[in-house]
Amino acid sequence: MVPAKRVITAQAGETIRTWLKEADRVLVAAGAGLSAAAGYDYGDTERFRELLRALHRLGLRSRYLLGAPLPEDMMWGYWAVHIDDVRFTPGPNPLYGRLRDLVGQHDHWVMTSNVDALFARSGFAPDRVFTPQGDYGRIQCTVPCSHDTWPSKPFLDPILGAYDRDTGRVTDPQVLPRCPDCGAEVFPNVRVGPEFVDDAYLPAGQRLARWLADAPTDSALLVLELGAGFNTPGVIRLPMENVVRRTPRARLVRINPDHPDVPADLGKRALAVPVGADRLLDRIAR
């Protein structure tokens, strides 16, 4: 007997290939599940222990738990190690590369809640990637005193140079970052509250909106949604459903091992794929 998930994956792969052939445009929409499938799982306890053993000794077990209050030197040690791991790892990611190959020559855009730049690092055109939640590659004032943001790597490299892996602390207080304009504390330029500065990302969002609005009425759109669950459903999951609802010749493929359900009102224009993106893309690649 063939395992049910293998059958589902094979059937879904065939449908996706057919829908891609029939599509004029492709909108790739991604949440944290895609990066987790690509090897950057914030719930990975073993990777957390490997990278941040001092915090592991304190009882913390994953990056998802880092709401815990920590001294400034330990918190910036965490941010520097974490961001260096997920944002500045060199080279493209194989899973994202397979997704880029799948999209092929289609006119396409990307919208993602992920802040790791893995799309731009893996062959997708950076000027066609909308990241409404921000980017670990930038840093901002926490006040904020202005709408300026700055590249984060020049702030993080000195921290990594002064980071003591055994204690989890930054040994040189002079490298703890401050706003270059007002001297206040800084934070990665990602959406955590109303102080988030989104100016750097709005132009891409406006271009994506125009791309959707200016398409011919008979244009066929395929929305490929990968790994977008219910942590922040208003960022990816619900907007993608609405895009398909208001676009007559649009289809939605929702790839999610835990939350694959699609709205009943989309009928045969929506496909639920209850497996991880890695399993599905591996199957399609074969």
Side-chain angles (χ1 to χ4, degrees):
M1 179 178 289
V2 179
K5 278 198 173 181
R6 187 176 298 173
V7 172
I8 290 170
T9 304
Q11 293 172 343
E14 290 300 322
T15 300
I16 292 169
R17 277 191 285 263
T18 298
W19 285 9
L20 271 169
K21 290 177 183 177
E22 297 171 351
D24 301 307
R25 299 172 301 141
V26 176
L27 174 56
V28 177
L34 178 60
S35 284
Y40 295 95
D41 183 356
Y42 291 8
D44 185 339
T45 56
E46 181 57 31
R47 183 62 173 162
F48 185 88
R49 185 194 63 79
E50 177 186 342
L51 286 175
L52 298 152
R53 61 192 183 198
L55 296 184
H56 190 271
R57 286 198 302 270
L58 291 177
L60 297 171
R61 291 296 179 263
S62 78
R63 308 185 213 205
Y64 274 131
L65 300 178
L66 255 294
L70 292 173
E72 184 182 17
D73 59 340
M74 294 189 80
M75 183 56 78
W76 273 109
Y78 161 73
W79 279 119
V81 171
H82 167 60
I83 294 174
D84 186 63
D85 178 50
V86 303
R87 175 63 176 81
F88 294 114
T89 302
N93 180 274
L95 183 64
Y96 277 75
R98 287 197 289 276
L99 179 57
R100 179 67 189 88
D101 291 341
L102 179 65
V103 173
Q105 298 303 310
H106 283 89
D107 181 13
H108 66 274
W109 260 86
V110 172
M111 181 172 171
T112 178
S113 60
N114 299 335
V115 295
D116 48 28
L118 279 169
F119 279 102
R121 292 154 55 193
S122 303
F124 289 86
D127 63 348
R128 285 204 161 202
V129 178
F130 176 37
T131 59
Q133 300 294 83
D135 183 347
Y136 276 148
R138 304 199 69 77
I139 208 161
Q140 68 163 83
C141 176
T142 56
V143 173
C145 65
S146 74
H147 286 245
D148 292 335
T149 59
W150 308 277
S152 63
K153 194 163 177 55
F155 289 83
L156 299 177
D157 283 349
I159 297 173
L160 289 170
Y163 177 68
D164 186 325
R165 179 179 169 87
D166 289 328
T167 65
R169 294 183 177 275
V170 179
T171 58
D172 181 0
Q174 296 300 314
V175 304
L176 297 177
R178 290 290 184 271
C179 173
D181 293 335
C182 73
E185 294 182 2
V186 295
F187 193 78
N189 183 215
V190 297
R191 190 185 302 276
V192 295
E195 68 277 8
F196 173 55
V197 177
D198 61 359
D199 295 46
Y201 316 107
L202 292 178
Q206 293 162 355
R207 293 195 304 274
L208 171 56
R210 287 196 299 270
W211 181 77
L212 289 169
D214 294 345
T217 56
D218 62 347
S219 176
L221 173 69
L222 178 60
V223 177
L224 287 176
E225 182 194 285
L226 307 99
F230 286 98
N231 284 341
T232 54
V235 179
I236 299 296
R237 192 178 177 97
L238 299 181
M240 293 307 103
E241 293 173 3
N242 288 330
V243 165
V244 175
R245 281 193 184 99
R246 65 173 185 258
T247 308
R249 295 194 61 208
R251 287 164 164 167
L252 170 66
V253 176
R254 173 163 285 158
I255 302 160
N256 194 306
D258 301 314
H259 305 287
D261 295 342
V262 294
D265 65 290
L266 295 182
K268 294 182 179 180
R269 294 199 294 141
L271 174 68
V273 186
V275 298
D278 50 345
R279 289 175 60 94
L280 182 70
L281 292 173
D282 284 348
R283 174 71 191 195
I284 292 175
R286 291 197 298 270

